[in-house]
Amino acid sequence: TAPKTIGTQTGAVAVIEVCTDPESTLGQVVSEANDTLCRFTAAMDFRLRETLDLALADVKRYPGAHVMASIPCTAGSAWQRINVRRGGAKQRERIRVLKQDMRRLLSHLRLVAIAVREGGGTISFEWPRHCSLWQDDAVRKFVEEFQLKKVDFDGCAVGLVSSKGEPLLKPWRIHTDNLSDVRALVDK
Protein backbone atom coordinates (compact mmCIF):
# COMPACT_ATOMS: atom_id res chain seq x y z
CA THR A 1 0.00 0.00 0.00
CA ALA A 2 1.24 3.48 -0.81
CA PRO A 3 1.95 5.75 2.16
CA LYS A 4 -0.83 8.17 3.07
CA THR A 5 -0.28 11.85 2.52
CA ILE A 6 -2.57 12.93 5.36
CA GLY A 7 -1.59 12.39 8.96
CA THR A 8 -2.91 9.95 11.51
CA GLN A 9 -4.07 11.09 14.93
CA THR A 10 -0.39 11.52 15.77
CA GLY A 11 0.11 13.79 12.77
CA ALA A 12 2.28 11.13 11.06
CA VAL A 13 1.67 9.35 7.75
CA ALA A 14 1.67 5.98 9.56
CA VAL A 15 1.88 4.57 13.08
CA ILE A 16 4.30 1.76 13.78
CA GLU A 17 3.64 0.01 17.07
CA VAL A 18 6.51 -1.84 18.75
CA CYS A 19 5.86 -4.41 21.50
CA THR A 20 2.33 -3.20 22.06
CA ASP A 21 -0.73 -5.26 22.80
CA PRO A 22 -2.42 -6.57 19.61
CA GLU A 23 -5.55 -4.68 20.74
CA SER A 24 -3.85 -1.46 21.82
CA THR A 25 -6.11 1.57 22.08
CA LEU A 26 -3.93 3.64 19.75
CA GLY A 27 -3.94 0.82 17.20
CA GLN A 28 -7.72 0.59 17.38
CA VAL A 29 -8.12 4.35 16.88
CA VAL A 30 -5.72 4.36 13.92
CA SER A 31 -7.44 1.31 12.37
CA GLU A 32 -10.93 2.75 12.82
CA ALA A 33 -9.80 5.91 11.01
CA ASN A 34 -8.47 3.70 8.17
CA ASP A 35 -5.03 5.15 8.70
CA THR A 36 -1.84 3.17 8.11
CA LEU A 37 -0.88 0.95 11.03
CA CYS A 38 2.08 -1.43 11.23
CA ARG A 39 2.12 -3.64 14.32
CA PHE A 40 5.04 -5.50 15.83
CA THR A 41 3.24 -6.89 18.87
CA ALA A 42 4.78 -8.57 21.86
CA ALA A 43 3.89 -11.94 20.28
CA MET A 44 6.22 -11.25 17.33
CA ASP A 45 9.38 -11.22 19.51
CA PHE A 46 11.07 -7.94 18.71
CA ARG A 47 14.31 -9.38 20.15
CA LEU A 48 14.75 -11.31 16.89
CA ARG A 49 16.72 -9.74 14.04
CA GLU A 50 14.05 -10.86 11.54
CA THR A 51 11.36 -8.88 13.39
CA LEU A 52 13.64 -5.86 13.66
CA ASP A 53 14.29 -6.03 9.90
CA LEU A 54 10.53 -6.10 9.20
CA ALA A 55 10.07 -3.00 11.36
CA LEU A 56 12.95 -1.21 9.64
CA ALA A 57 11.42 -2.05 6.24
CA ASP A 58 8.13 -0.45 7.34
CA VAL A 59 9.97 2.63 8.57
CA LYS A 60 11.56 2.93 5.12
CA ARG A 61 8.21 2.38 3.41
CA TYR A 62 6.53 5.12 5.47
CA PRO A 63 8.88 8.09 5.85
CA GLY A 64 7.56 10.43 8.51
CA ALA A 65 5.99 7.58 10.50
CA HIS A 66 5.38 7.73 14.24
CA VAL A 67 6.74 4.86 16.34
CA MET A 68 4.82 4.01 19.50
CA ALA A 69 6.77 1.61 21.73
CA SER A 70 5.74 -0.17 24.87
CA ILE A 71 8.43 -2.73 25.54
CA PRO A 72 7.79 -5.11 28.46
CA CYS A 73 8.42 -3.48 31.82
CA THR A 74 7.79 -6.42 34.14
CA ALA A 75 11.23 -6.07 35.76
CA GLY A 76 10.36 -2.55 36.89
CA SER A 77 6.91 -3.10 38.34
CA ALA A 78 6.20 -2.42 42.00
CA TRP A 79 5.38 -6.12 42.43
CA GLN A 80 8.97 -7.06 41.60
CA ARG A 81 10.25 -5.23 44.68
CA ILE A 82 7.94 -7.40 46.77
CA ASN A 83 8.84 -10.54 44.82
CA VAL A 84 12.57 -9.95 45.37
CA ARG A 85 12.06 -9.82 49.12
CA ARG A 86 10.02 -13.01 49.07
CA GLY A 87 11.76 -14.91 46.26
CA GLY A 88 15.41 -14.32 47.10
CA ALA A 89 18.14 -15.37 44.66
CA LYS A 90 15.78 -17.14 42.26
CA GLN A 91 13.65 -14.02 41.88
CA ARG A 92 16.69 -11.74 41.55
CA GLU A 93 17.90 -13.94 38.68
CA ARG A 94 14.49 -13.76 37.00
CA ILE A 95 14.54 -9.96 37.21
CA ARG A 96 18.11 -9.87 35.89
CA VAL A 97 16.98 -11.87 32.83
CA LEU A 98 13.92 -9.64 32.36
CA LYS A 99 16.15 -6.54 32.46
CA GLN A 100 18.54 -8.15 29.98
CA ASP A 101 15.58 -8.76 27.62
CA MET A 102 14.38 -5.18 28.10
CA ARG A 103 17.80 -3.84 27.15
CA ARG A 104 17.89 -6.04 24.03
CA LEU A 105 14.46 -4.76 23.03
CA LEU A 106 15.57 -1.19 23.74
CA SER A 107 18.65 -1.63 21.56
CA HIS A 108 16.41 -2.75 18.68
CA LEU A 109 14.01 0.11 19.38
CA ARG A 110 16.98 2.47 19.18
CA LEU A 111 17.77 1.24 15.65
CA VAL A 112 14.14 1.79 14.62
CA ALA A 113 14.15 5.23 16.26
CA ILE A 114 17.29 6.25 14.36
CA ALA A 115 15.68 5.17 11.07
CA VAL A 116 12.42 6.95 11.94
CA ARG A 117 14.27 10.17 12.72
CA GLU A 118 16.23 9.91 9.47
CA GLY A 119 12.87 9.68 7.65
CA GLY A 120 11.47 12.72 9.47
CA GLY A 121 9.27 10.72 11.85
CA THR A 122 8.65 10.84 15.58
CA ILE A 123 8.95 8.54 18.58
CA SER A 124 6.87 7.77 21.67
CA PHE A 125 7.82 5.36 24.42
CA GLU A 126 5.29 4.52 27.16
CA TRP A 127 5.29 2.66 30.46
CA PRO A 128 3.47 2.99 33.75
CA ARG A 129 4.50 6.23 35.45
CA HIS A 130 5.99 4.56 38.50
CA CYS A 131 7.94 1.83 36.66
CA SER A 132 11.43 1.74 38.17
CA LEU A 133 12.96 1.03 34.74
CA TRP A 134 12.59 4.72 33.87
CA GLN A 135 15.70 5.07 36.07
CA ASP A 136 17.67 2.36 34.21
CA ASP A 137 20.81 3.81 32.58
CA ALA A 138 20.00 2.38 29.13
CA VAL A 139 16.47 3.85 29.25
CA ARG A 140 17.71 7.24 30.42
CA LYS A 141 20.31 7.31 27.63
CA PHE A 142 17.62 6.46 25.07
CA VAL A 143 15.38 9.29 26.29
CA GLU A 144 18.32 11.73 26.29
CA GLU A 145 19.69 10.63 22.90
CA PHE A 146 16.37 11.30 21.19
CA GLN A 147 15.56 14.35 23.35
CA LEU A 148 12.14 12.98 24.27
CA LYS A 149 9.82 15.04 26.43
CA LYS A 150 8.14 13.49 29.47
CA VAL A 151 4.36 13.60 29.61
CA ASP A 152 2.55 12.17 32.67
CA PHE A 153 -1.19 11.54 32.52
CA ASP A 154 -3.84 9.31 34.01
CA GLY A 155 -5.90 6.83 32.03
CA CYS A 156 -9.19 8.24 33.32
CA ALA A 157 -8.28 11.64 31.85
CA VAL A 158 -8.15 10.14 28.36
CA GLY A 159 -11.31 8.04 28.71
CA LEU A 160 -9.92 4.74 30.03
CA VAL A 161 -12.67 2.78 31.79
CA SER A 162 -13.07 -0.62 33.39
CA SER A 163 -15.26 -3.36 31.93
CA LYS A 164 -18.01 -1.95 34.19
CA GLY A 165 -17.58 1.50 32.61
CA GLU A 166 -15.91 3.06 35.65
CA PRO A 167 -12.96 5.45 35.13
CA LEU A 168 -9.53 3.86 35.66
CA LEU A 169 -6.74 5.92 37.20
CA LYS A 170 -3.84 4.02 35.53
CA PRO A 171 -0.93 6.49 35.85
CA TRP A 172 1.05 6.56 32.58
CA ARG A 173 4.21 8.22 31.37
CA ILE A 174 5.16 8.78 27.76
CA HIS A 175 8.47 10.13 26.56
CA THR A 176 7.91 11.56 23.10
CA ASP A 177 9.02 14.06 20.50
CA ASN A 178 5.61 14.07 18.84
CA LEU A 179 4.06 17.48 19.49
CA SER A 180 0.55 16.19 18.72
CA ASP A 181 0.96 13.67 21.56
CA VAL A 182 2.29 16.32 23.90
CA ARG A 183 -0.56 18.75 23.15
CA ALA A 184 -3.18 16.01 23.49
CA LEU A 185 -1.87 14.71 26.82
CA VAL A 186 -0.44 17.70 28.66
CA ASP A 187 -2.44 18.63 31.75
CA LYS A 188 -4.53 15.42 31.56
Coordinates of all heavy atoms in Angstrom, one line a residue, residues 103-139:
R103 N 16.7 -4.6 27.8 CA 17.8 -3.8 27.1 C 18.0 -4.3 25.7 O 18.3 -3.5 24.8 CB 19.1 -4.0 28.0 CG 19.0 -3.2 29.3 CD 20.2 -3.3 30.1 NE 20.0 -2.7 31.4 CZ 20.0 -3.4 32.5 NH1 20.3 -4.7 32.6 NH2 19.8 -2.8 33.7
R104 N 17.8 -5.5 25.4 CA 17.9 -6.0 24.0 C 16.8 -5.4 23.2 O 17.0 -4.9 22.1 CB 17.8 -7.6 24.0 CG 17.6 -8.2 22.7 CD 18.9 -8.4 22.0 NE 18.7 -9.0 20.7 CZ 19.6 -9.8 20.2 NH1 20.7 -10.2 20.8 NH2 19.3 -10.3 19.0
L105 N 15.6 -5.4 23.7 CA 14.5 -4.8 23.0 C 14.7 -3.3 22.8 O 14.4 -2.7 21.7 CB 13.2 -5.0 23.8 CG 12.6 -6.4 23.9 CD1 11.6 -6.5 25.0 CD2 12.1 -6.8 22.5
L106 N 15.3 -2.6 23.8 CA 15.6 -1.2 23.7 C 16.6 -0.9 22.7 O 16.6 0.1 22.0 CB 16.0 -0.7 25.1 CG 16.1 0.9 25.2 CD1 14.8 1.6 25.0 CD2 16.7 1.2 26.6
S107 N 17.6 -1.8 22.6 CA 18.7 -1.6 21.6 C 18.1 -1.7 20.2 O 18.4 -1.0 19.2 CB 19.8 -2.6 21.8 OG 19.4 -3.9 21.4
H108 N 17.1 -2.6 20.0 CA 16.4 -2.7 18.7 C 15.5 -1.5 18.4 O 15.4 -1.0 17.3 CB 15.6 -4.0 18.6 CG 16.5 -5.2 18.3 ND1 16.0 -6.5 18.1 CD2 17.8 -5.4 18.2 CE1 17.0 -7.3 17.8 NE2 18.1 -6.7 18.0
L109 N 14.8 -1.1 19.5 CA 14.0 0.1 19.4 C 14.9 1.3 19.0 O 14.5 2.1 18.2 CB 13.3 0.4 20.7 CG 12.4 1.7 20.7 CD1 11.4 1.7 19.6 CD2 11.8 1.9 22.1
R110 N 16.1 1.4 19.5 CA 17.0 2.5 19.2 C 17.3 2.5 17.7 O 17.3 3.5 17.0 CB 18.3 2.3 20.0 CG 19.3 3.5 19.7 CD 20.5 3.3 20.5 NE 21.5 4.3 20.1 CZ 22.3 4.2 19.1 NH1 22.3 3.1 18.3 NH2 23.1 5.2 18.8
L111 N 17.5 1.3 17.1 CA 17.8 1.2 15.6 C 16.6 1.7 14.8 O 16.7 2.4 13.8 CB 18.2 -0.2 15.3 CG 19.5 -0.7 15.9 CD1 19.7 -2.2 15.5 CD2 20.7 0.2 15.5
V112 N 15.4 1.3 15.3 CA 14.1 1.8 14.6 C 14.0 3.3 14.8 O 13.7 4.0 13.8 CB 12.9 1.0 15.2 CG1 11.6 1.7 14.7 CG2 13.0 -0.4 14.8
A113 N 14.3 3.8 16.0 CA 14.1 5.2 16.3 C 15.1 6.0 15.4 O 14.7 7.1 14.9 CB 14.4 5.5 17.7
I114 N 16.3 5.6 15.2 CA 17.3 6.2 14.4 C 16.7 6.3 12.9 O 16.8 7.4 12.3 CB 18.7 5.5 14.4 CG1 19.3 5.8 15.8 CG2 19.6 6.0 13.3 CD1 20.6 4.9 16.0
A115 N 16.2 5.2 12.4 CA 15.7 5.2 11.1 C 14.5 6.1 10.9 O 14.3 6.8 9.9 CB 15.3 3.7 10.7
V116 N 13.6 6.1 12.0 CA 12.4 7.0 11.9 C 12.8 8.4 11.9 O 12.3 9.2 11.1 CB 11.5 6.7 13.2 CG1 10.5 7.8 13.4 CG2 10.8 5.4 13.0
R117 N 13.8 8.8 12.7 CA 14.3 10.2 12.7 C 14.9 10.5 11.4 O 14.7 11.6 10.9 CB 15.3 10.4 13.8 CG 14.8 10.6 15.2 CD 14.3 12.1 15.3 NE 13.7 12.4 16.6 CZ 14.4 12.7 17.7 NH1 15.7 12.7 17.7 NH2 13.7 12.9 18.8
E118 N 15.6 9.6 10.8 CA 16.2 9.9 9.5 C 15.2 10.1 8.4 O 15.4 10.9 7.5 CB 17.2 8.8 9.0 CG 18.4 8.7 9.8 CD 19.3 7.5 9.6 OE1 18.8 6.6 8.8 OE2 20.4 7.4 10.1
G119 N 14.0 9.5 8.6 CA 12.9 9.7 7.7 C 11.9 10.8 8.0 O 10.9 11.0 7.4
G120 N 12.3 11.6 9.1 CA 11.5 12.7 9.5 C 10.3 12.3 10.4 O 9.4 13.1 10.6
G121 N 10.4 11.2 11.0 CA 9.3 10.7 11.9 C 9.5 11.0 13.3 O 10.5 11.7 13.7
T122 N 8.6 10.6 14.2 CA 8.6 10.8 15.6 C 8.6 9.5 16.4 O 8.2 8.5 15.9 CB 7.5 11.8 16.0 OG1 6.3 11.2 15.6 CG2 7.7 13.1 15.3
I123 N 8.8 9.7 17.7 CA 9.0 8.5 18.6 C 8.2 8.8 19.9 O 8.2 9.9 20.4 CB 10.4 8.3 19.0 CG1 11.3 8.2 17.8 CG2 10.6 7.1 19.9 CD1 12.8 8.7 18.0
S124 N 7.5 7.8 20.3 CA 6.9 7.8 21.7 C 7.2 6.4 22.4 O 7.2 5.4 21.7 CB 5.3 7.9 21.6 OG 5.0 9.2 21.2
F125 N 7.4 6.5 23.6 CA 7.8 5.4 24.4 C 7.0 5.4 25.7 O 7.1 6.4 26.4 CB 9.3 5.4 24.7 CG 9.9 4.3 25.5 CD1 9.4 3.0 25.5 CD2 11.1 4.5 26.2 CE1 9.9 2.0 26.3 CE2 11.7 3.5 26.9 CZ 11.1 2.3 27.0
E126 N 6.2 4.4 26.0 CA 5.3 4.5 27.2 C 5.5 3.3 28.1 O 5.7 2.2 27.7 CB 3.8 4.7 26.8 CG 3.2 3.5 26.1 CD 2.5 2.5 27.0 OE1 2.3 2.8 28.2 OE2 2.1 1.5 26.6
W127 N 5.3 3.6 29.4 CA 5.3 2.7 30.5 C 4.4 3.2 31.6 O 4.1 4.4 31.6 CB 6.7 2.5 31.0 CG 7.5 1.4 30.4 CD1 7.1 0.4 29.6 CD2 8.9 1.3 30.5 NE1 8.2 -0.4 29.2 CE2 9.3 0.2 29.7 CE3 9.9 2.1 31.1 CZ2 10.6 -0.2 29.6 CZ3 11.2 1.7 31.0 CH2 11.6 0.5 30.2
P128 N 4.1 2.4 32.6 CA 3.5 3.0 33.8 C 4.4 4.1 34.4 O 5.6 4.0 34.3 CB 3.3 1.8 34.7 CG 3.3 0.6 33.8 CD 4.2 1.0 32.6
R129 N 3.8 5.1 34.9 CA 4.5 6.2 35.4 C 5.5 5.8 36.5 O 6.6 6.4 36.6 CB 3.5 7.2 36.0 CG 4.2 8.5 36.5 CD 3.2 9.5 37.1 NE 2.1 9.7 36.2 CZ 0.8 10.0 36.6 NH1 0.6 10.3 37.8 NH2 -0.1 10.2 35.7
H130 N 5.1 4.9 37.4 CA 6.0 4.6 38.5 C 6.9 3.3 38.3 O 7.5 2.8 39.2 CB 5.1 4.4 39.8 CG 4.3 5.6 40.1 ND1 4.9 6.8 40.5 CD2 3.0 5.8 40.0 CE1 3.9 7.7 40.6 NE2 2.8 7.1 40.3
C131 N 7.0 2.9 37.0 CA 7.9 1.8 36.7 C 9.4 2.2 37.0 O 9.9 3.3 36.6 CB 7.8 1.5 35.2 SG 8.9 0.2 34.6
S132 N 10.1 1.4 37.8 CA 11.4 1.7 38.2 C 12.4 1.7 37.0 O 13.5 2.3 37.1 CB 11.9 0.8 39.3 OG 12.0 -0.5 38.8
L133 N 12.0 1.1 35.9 CA 13.0 1.0 34.7 C 13.2 2.4 34.1 O 14.1 2.6 33.3 CB 12.4 0.0 33.7 CG 12.4 -1.4 34.1 CD1 11.8 -2.3 33.0 CD2 13.8 -1.9 34.5
W134 N 12.3 3.4 34.4 CA 12.6 4.7 33.9 C 13.9 5.2 34.4 O 14.6 6.1 33.8 CB 11.5 5.7 34.3 CG 10.2 5.6 33.6 CD1 9.0 5.3 34.1 CD2 10.0 5.7 32.1 NE1 8.0 5.2 33.1 CE2 8.6 5.5 31.9 CE3 10.8 6.0 31.1 CZ2 8.0 5.6 30.6 CZ3 10.2 6.1 29.8 CH2 8.9 5.9 29.6
Q135 N 14.4 4.7 35.5 CA 15.7 5.1 36.1 C 16.9 4.2 35.6 O 18.0 4.5 35.9 CB 15.6 5.0 37.6 CG 14.5 5.8 38.2 CD 14.6 7.3 37.7 OE1 15.6 7.9 37.7 NE2 13.4 7.8 37.3
D136 N 16.6 3.2 34.8 CA 17.7 2.4 34.2 C 18.6 3.2 33.3 O 18.1 4.0 32.5 CB 17.0 1.2 33.4 CG 18.1 0.2 32.9 OD1 18.4 -0.7 33.7 OD2 18.6 0.4 31.8
D137 N 19.9 3.0 33.4 CA 20.8 3.8 32.6 C 20.5 3.7 31.1 O 20.6 4.8 30.4 CB 22.3 3.4 32.9 CG 22.8 3.9 34.2 OD1 22.2 4.9 34.7 OD2 23.8 3.3 34.7
A138 N 20.2 2.5 30.6 CA 20.0 2.4 29.1 C 18.7 3.2 28.7 O 18.7 3.8 27.6 CB 19.9 0.9 28.8
V139 N 17.7 3.1 29.6 CA 16.5 3.9 29.2 C 16.7 5.4 29.3 O 16.3 6.1 28.4 CB 15.3 3.4 30.2 CG1 14.1 4.3 30.0 CG2 15.0 1.9 30.1

